[in-house]
Amino acid sequence: MDSFILSCCSTADMTEEYFKERRIPYVCFHYTMDGVTYPDDLGKSIPFDEFYDRIAKGATPVTSQVNVEEYCNFFEPYLKEGKDILHVTLSSGISGTHNSACVAREEMLSKYPERKIAIVDSLNASVGYGLLMDALADLRDKGVSFEETRDWAEENKMFINSWFFSTDLTSFKRGGRISATSAILGTVLNICPLMNIDFQGCLIPRQKIRTKKKAIQEIVKTMEAHAREGGDYNGKCFLVHSACEEDAKELAALVEERFPKLSGKVLINSIGTVIGSHTGPGTVGLFFWGDKRVD
């Protein structure tokens, strides 16, 4: 039996099988598409291919975060069982859900004062957030205490590097992450912006790169420059994509070639429906342990 509950939000973008295997319960965000609201349930309500196809055809999904009541309903069964909870949220630089989780924590502690609840802001998203959960599950499985696991998360979360490129800027423009002018010029000039998540947990454009092929090469060079031990990096590497699996596979093959000491094969997942509502199709993300994010 685990000594505490390690939980997260659906926006960590790991698979249902992964969460079950690692004993990580998750609470779902939501999105509304074509007038119908769905849970961000890892592609069960709408398969990922269908979801991104509908966006490509003009659908504009709108997302909603986990609210206080939903967090309370999520936490309470574990508290009733006498379990403490370490919950990690989607970045506060992207969503207000961290604040909602903190409010729910106070409500639940007033009802269950003998229990412990810790809320950690991942300052990350998608499987960068998932990479943090993976490390925390390893610590829990080794018998590391609730407090030590919480402290390790706070001390180490900024060492996860998260880099993205996209071949379709429509959704980034709609969400205000790229200006309309940049999106139009990017489309005309075949520019794939290279972006990362900064020290505040916000998605920031960093470079403008002509062509997808060059973007794939550049993102690997970025990993070489920032990964722990450079080309001798021996940690895990996770990838995500939004309806562009072949691009992700090409990138994964190049990463495995450049980093022969990787811990296992590169993991490839789909960007989930909430994060994907903001990226749209055509986005690839690369995540690894590296330099501390300071800007």
Side-chain angles (χ1 to χ4, degrees), residues 19-118:
F19 283 133
K20 286 182 178 178
E21 181 181 338
R22 297 311 306 269
R23 304 183 309 284
I24 303 173
Y26 61 92
V27 58
C28 290
F29 274 58
H30 306 86
Y31 63 98
T32 300
M33 177 181 273
D34 299 328
V36 180
T37 298
Y38 305 91
D40 178 38
D41 56 3
L42 315 181
K44 293 195 288 290
S45 292
I46 299 180
F48 294 129
D49 287 349
E50 178 185 340
F51 174 79
Y52 288 111
D53 183 60
R54 286 168 68 171
I55 292 178
K57 291 176 179 176
T60 55
V62 176
T63 61
S64 58
Q65 66 189 39
V66 184
N67 61 37
V68 174
E69 181 181 4
E70 288 168 327
Y71 273 121
C72 288
N73 291 337
F74 177 69
F75 292 152
E76 189 160 26
Y78 302 115
L79 300 171
K80 282 183 177 179
E81 292 174 4
K83 292 288 189 179
D84 299 324
I85 300 171
L86 173 55
H87 184 80
V88 186
T89 71
L90 177 66
S91 173
S92 60
I94 293 173
S95 167
T97 198
H98 177 73
N99 183 65
S100 296
C102 290
V103 174
R105 172 185 181 272
E106 296 308 310
E107 288 192 18
M108 289 293 97
L109 286 177
S110 67
K111 194 171 180 179
Y112 301 90
E114 73 283 2
R115 297 269 53 88
K116 293 180 286 190
I117 307 171

Side-chain angles (χ1 to χ4, degrees), residues 122-123 153-161 198-201 289-294:
S122 71
L123 292 176
E154 295 289 6
E155 292 165 5
N156 289 274
K157 64 188 181 183
M158 299 303 288
F159 291 99
I160 294 177
N161 283 222
D198 71 359
F199 74 109
Q200 294 179 312
W289 291 96
D291 299 342
K292 187 173 185 178
R293 287 177 280 149
V294 294

Side-chain angles (χ1 to χ4, degrees), residues 131 223 228 232-237 261-264 288-289:
L131 186 58
M223 183 173 174
R228 289 177 179 171
D232 290 327
Y233 177 67
N234 61 3
K236 293 182 179 181
C237 179
K261 297 181 181 179
L262 275 179
S263 177
F288 56 90
W289 291 96

